[in-house]
Amino acid sequence: MQLTITNLDKVYPNGVHAIKNVNLTISNGMFGLLGPNGAGKSSLMRTISTLQEADSGSVFLDDMDVLKDKDGVRRILGYLPQEFGVYPKVTALTMLDHIASLKGIANKKERKEVVEALLQKVNLWQHRNKNLGTYSGGMKQRFGIAQALLGNPKLIIVDEPTAGLDPTERNRFHNLLSEIGENTIVILSTHIVEDVTNLCENMAIICEGSVVAEGNPTELVKEVQGNIWEKSIEKSELDAYQAKYNVISTQLKAGKKEIHVWSDSQPDASFTEARATLEDVYFHHIAENSSVPI
Ligand code: ADP
């Protein structure tokens, strides 16, 4: 399958230009959409999920016109929104069964089999009869994935799935996502670089509504290797360094600041070449394309 987004554009009534002429081609597998808060990720995800209209442009899933054939899209879509509300006084088993009916699994026996298999898959089997209101953040997210997977979707969209999860829950969630079939497009929208590093074969970086980089994470890292220079400085020196160099990121290490600087050549003998990471790619593109300093 292939999702093809062409010249997509959206301005909200308040004047915010949330999606700016976005062009993306997304194939089967995990695709990471990475960008800071407010970049336009949710706007893009909601548009692809048929929850809101674009002003112009097109989105096709193979030959299905996503912006027009809303019912068609909903039949093959699994969506886990950023804010996933649950009915607090309903059990996971009852709720999933209900959603399965809504998704068109009419046969009771089939529904039972599908729901039970999913509860096992997301590791909520032993909690199936507990009310959703008693679930932890991680359990709610796994329940969210279970409902998104109902009905064998071909396009799965997960919006900021690991925000608020502890490291163990995040790990479990990653493992679960990586098990989703290979004949499915999974779009993972996130502001957490590590989520994309761990999971995605392809990715795009979005900043202020525009796609500013796109490709395979390893390739994107290779492209910046040689341009990233690091140095450990005193915290008090940071302003001076920011004024003199193109500092793309700073990190506190053992009470000192480790800065990463973007430069075509060694800024001076006190800098050493850093082993570039996806964070460097991300910070470089965001720094280059932000209208406000990061
Ligand atoms: P992200 O998901 O990357 O955090 P969003 O798509 O939520 O970004 O937001 C992109 C921009 O659009 C932000 O400036 C946000 O304030 C604005 N925005 C989002 N939803 C609406 C809306 N319904 N009406 C007006 N502005 C909105």
Side-chain angles (χ1 to χ4, degrees):
M1 288 200 115
Q2 192 157 290
L3 186 76
T4 313
I5 303 171
T6 312
N7 302 133
L8 199 71
D9 215 86
K10 171 76 179 176
V11 181
Y12 285 113
N14 64 358
V16 174
H17 199 165
I19 305 175
K20 290 181 190 153
N21 194 31
V22 164
N23 290 281
L24 279 176
T25 304
I26 302 176
S27 304
N28 286 337
M30 294 278 284
F31 185 91
L33 184 69
L34 187 62
N37 288 331
K41 302 180 298 295
S42 294
S43 299
L44 189 56
M45 296 302 98
R46 286 197 302 264
T47 309
I48 301 169
S49 312
T50 77
L51 295 174
Q52 74 179 39
E53 307 280 337
D55 293 339
S56 56
S58 67
V59 182
F60 276 86
L61 186 63
D62 288 342
D63 52 8
M64 181 189 282
D65 187 338
V66 170
L67 301 183
K68 295 215 173 89
D69 185 3
K70 295 198 164 76
D71 288 341
V73 175
R74 285 171 195 167
R75 271 195 292 277
I76 50 114
L77 174 74
Y79 179 52
L80 176 57
Q82 201 171 348
E83 296 285 321
F84 183 69
V86 291
Y87 292 92
K89 296 217 166 120
V90 179
T91 70
L93 191 64
T94 309
M95 193 66 210
L96 265 194
D97 184 73
H98 178 64
I99 299 170
S101 307
L102 293 177
K103 285 211 175 176
I105 310 175
N107 181 293
K108 206 171 165 190
K109 184 162 167 279
E110 185 193 342
R111 214 163 56 230
K112 186 169 185 288
E113 277 169 14
V114 169
V115 164
E116 290 188 356
L118 271 176
L119 284 167
Q120 304 267 17
K121 189 180 170 98
V122 301
N123 225 336
L124 288 175
W125 179 248
Q126 71 270 39
H127 306 293
R128 68 191 179 282
N129 291 318
K130 288 188 188 150
N131 286 344
L132 291 168
T134 67
Y135 274 23
S136 69
M139 288 160 77
K140 275 188 198 147
Q141 284 296 51
R142 279 183 282 138
F143 177 79
I145 272 288
Q147 64 79 30
L149 290 176
L150 272 171
N152 284 324
K154 292 285 158 227
L155 172 64
I156 297 175
I157 293 178
V158 282
D159 200 354
E160 303 268 358
T162 60
L165 298 191
D166 69 36
T168 314
E169 288 174 328
R170 217 165 115 218
N171 213 351
R172 204 180 260 164
F173 191 76
H174 281 174
N175 287 334
L176 191 58
L177 279 182
S178 64
E179 282 170 18
I180 295 173
E182 284 175 2
N183 301 321
T184 313
I185 297 174
V186 184
I187 306 179
L188 174 71
S189 153
T190 181
H191 65 270
I192 301 170
V193 180
E194 212 187 325
D195 286 354
V196 175
T197 310
N198 291 345
L199 289 167
C200 300
E201 301 101 273
N202 282 295
M203 63 173 292
I205 299 173
I206 184 168
C207 178
E208 297 183 7
S210 301
V211 173
V212 296
E214 191 189 347
N216 167 274
T218 314
E219 294 299 319
L220 288 171
V221 170
K222 268 192 206 150
E223 279 172 23
V224 303
Q225 186 63 56
N227 290 107
I228 313 291
W229 303 88
E230 68 188 4
K231 183 176 179 180
S232 183
I233 61 168
E234 297 300 332
K235 280 186 266 181
S236 57
E237 295 176 303
L238 184 59
D239 284 350
Y241 274 86
Q242 274 173 329
K244 190 164 178 200
Y245 300 104
N246 185 1
V247 177
I248 59 166
S249 70
T250 68
Q251 205 183 4
L252 214 49
K253 265 198 185 155
K256 290 188 115 189
K257 282 264 181 199
E258 188 180 285
I259 58 169
H260 277 198
V261 163
W262 175 274
S263 173
D264 289 341
S265 56
Q266 189 176 21
D268 70 43
S270 65
F271 283 86
T272 50
E273 188 181 333
R275 210 175 129 256
T277 65
L278 199 57
E279 278 209 354
D280 293 314
V281 173
Y282 176 71
F283 286 125
H284 163 60
H285 285 288
I286 298 300
E288 269 215 323
N289 293 283
S290 284
S291 55
V292 286
I294 53 166

